[in-house]
Amino acid sequence: KDRSRQKPPLPLSLIKTNKHTHTMLSSSAAGRLTAGIRTSRALSRSLPSRSSAPRSSRLLRAPQTTSTASLVTPLLLRNQIPSLFYSTERILQLRTKKDAKSGAVLPKTIYDPSMEKENCGVGMVASLKSVASRKVVDDANEMLVRMSHRGGVGCCPASGDGAGMLFGMPDAFMRTKAKEALGVDLPPRGEYAVGNVFFPPENPDVLRDCKAIIERLTKQRGMTVLGWRPVPVDNSMLGQDPLDSEPDTEQIFIANTGAKKLSLRDFERELFRVRKMAEEEAAAMLGPESGFYINSLTSQTITYKGQLTPEQVSEYYLDIKDPSFITHLALVHSRFSTNTFPSWERAQPIRMMCHNGEINTLRGNKNWMFSRGGLMASDYFGNDTHQLLPATSDNMSDSGNFDSVLELMAK
């Protein structure tokens, strides 16, 4: 924001700053200029263009329309609306705090060159009194959208590197949906879990087999599967890359109503065990990165994410737009993919956290965790501790490995 007295500041601006491009876009124009900004962002990246495989027949259910704005070059946008952008000259003035021509000292601004970074955007909104409200959801979505400059896109502005939101369990919303979709009344809060699960697209046999794995493991651990609910989505705004790999997403409802009722902590541990074992069994059946992925499976939180741009998250997942979807906690993430390729499952937040940056000692950390597996022990899991291993994998990003180890330590 420019605090200059000669010109009023732009309202709640979005700032994009790096070595090559320096732009400033007001929120009032963000919707109209998103495509142009993302085109500029894509051109500045050193990564090669994403593959442009032929569209499959499944794309017919999401007809695409080409926006005029998406064909406008960043240069043309700069010429048409120069007042919305920071030029390189303006950035240099802010860095030196002096006018390049006159040498006059400029009014103080909130610009700080030490904050110039090129990595993911993260944020959290929470009620300190744990009171659920719609405002938490709306504020979290606004925060995520205003961090679009922190996320990456491919050569198509509608193909994001990934974005998502993790929410404290929206209890009232889930009760309503369970009644509508399954005809059941959920147990008290904390005694049921809901998880969003990705399945390989348009493959009913694999969908049935993966569901059977989860249901069998859940029953073996003394819990009850109440049913499945297809998650309503709108994919009309997605680019070709995310559409080509778009999974089928369903919600599983699990109740702590077995013959022997578990404590809250043990309930969470058994849900963790079910998820780890289901993923390993599905990977053995389908291979790694098959499209089967459990976003979260807990009684406390639920994650909505995907290979999306920040603006697309709440538009894609219709649950988030529902006025009855209220929560006390929201964690958001806008991904800038660096050492791993974008995919639906690599989007964040993950199960317990979201991560901003890179782990430079990744290979060593993974090797040490793998070597410690033989020494790992748990009073609760006993001789079955191996069911939770391995904690790390080459098929996950550095953030995914960090989250996996964190979850293992916490559970």
Side-chain angles (χ1 to χ4, degrees), residues 96-244:
T96 61
K97 299 179 175 61
K98 292 183 179 181
D99 185 277
K101 296 179 180 179
S102 66
V105 178
L106 297 174
K108 185 178 180 180
T109 70
I110 62 173
Y111 172 79
D112 183 354
S114 67
M115 298 304 294
E116 290 187 10
K117 296 181 176 65
E118 194 69 285
N119 43 24
C120 310
V122 298
M124 183 179 74
V125 180
S127 165
L128 296 180
K129 297 182 179 180
S130 297
V131 177
S133 69
R134 183 64 194 175
K135 188 176 187 303
V136 172
V137 179
D138 293 338
D139 287 350
N141 182 61
E142 183 176 0
M143 178 193 297
L144 179 60
V145 170
R146 290 177 185 241
M147 285 194 296
S148 297
H149 61 293
R150 285 310 220 172
V153 294
C155 54
C156 170
S159 298
D161 277 9
M165 291 189 267
L166 178 151
F167 299 102
M169 187 63 70
D171 181 64
F173 174 83
M174 290 303 175
R175 291 184 182 282
T176 300
K177 296 306 175 182
K179 190 68 174 179
E180 292 176 356
L182 310 176
V184 299
D185 293 318
L186 293 179
R189 183 168 185 167
E191 295 184 13
Y192 72 91
V194 185
N196 285 338
V197 184
F198 289 159
F199 295 98
E202 299 183 350
N203 194 328
D205 292 337
V206 171
L207 176 68
R208 182 189 62 250
D209 292 343
C210 289
K211 283 186 175 181
I213 292 174
I214 299 176
E215 291 173 0
R216 170 171 47 80
L217 293 172
T218 301
K219 185 177 180 180
Q220 288 177 357
R221 304 315 309 171
M223 299 174 289
T224 305
V225 175
L226 299 177
W228 295 84
R229 169 186 174 251
V231 177
V233 300
D234 176 8
N235 61 8
S236 61
M237 79 295 294
L238 300 188
Q240 179 179 336
D241 285 345
L243 271 174
D244 284 344

Side-chain angles (χ1 to χ4, degrees), residues 50 152-154 158-164 198 237-247 295 304-310 312-313 316-317 335 337 341-348:
R50 310 281 164 79
V153 294
S159 298
D161 277 9
F198 289 159
M237 79 295 294
L238 300 188
Q240 179 179 336
D241 285 345
L243 271 174
D244 284 344
S245 57
E246 181 190 12
N295 288 276
Y304 289 81
K305 67 175 187 178
Q307 192 178 338
L308 308 166
T309 67
Q312 291 172 348
V313 175
Y316 180 79
Y317 288 110
R335 187 174 189 232
S337 180
F341 209 64
S343 67
W344 283 81
E345 60 269 20
R346 289 195 183 111
Q348 298 186 42

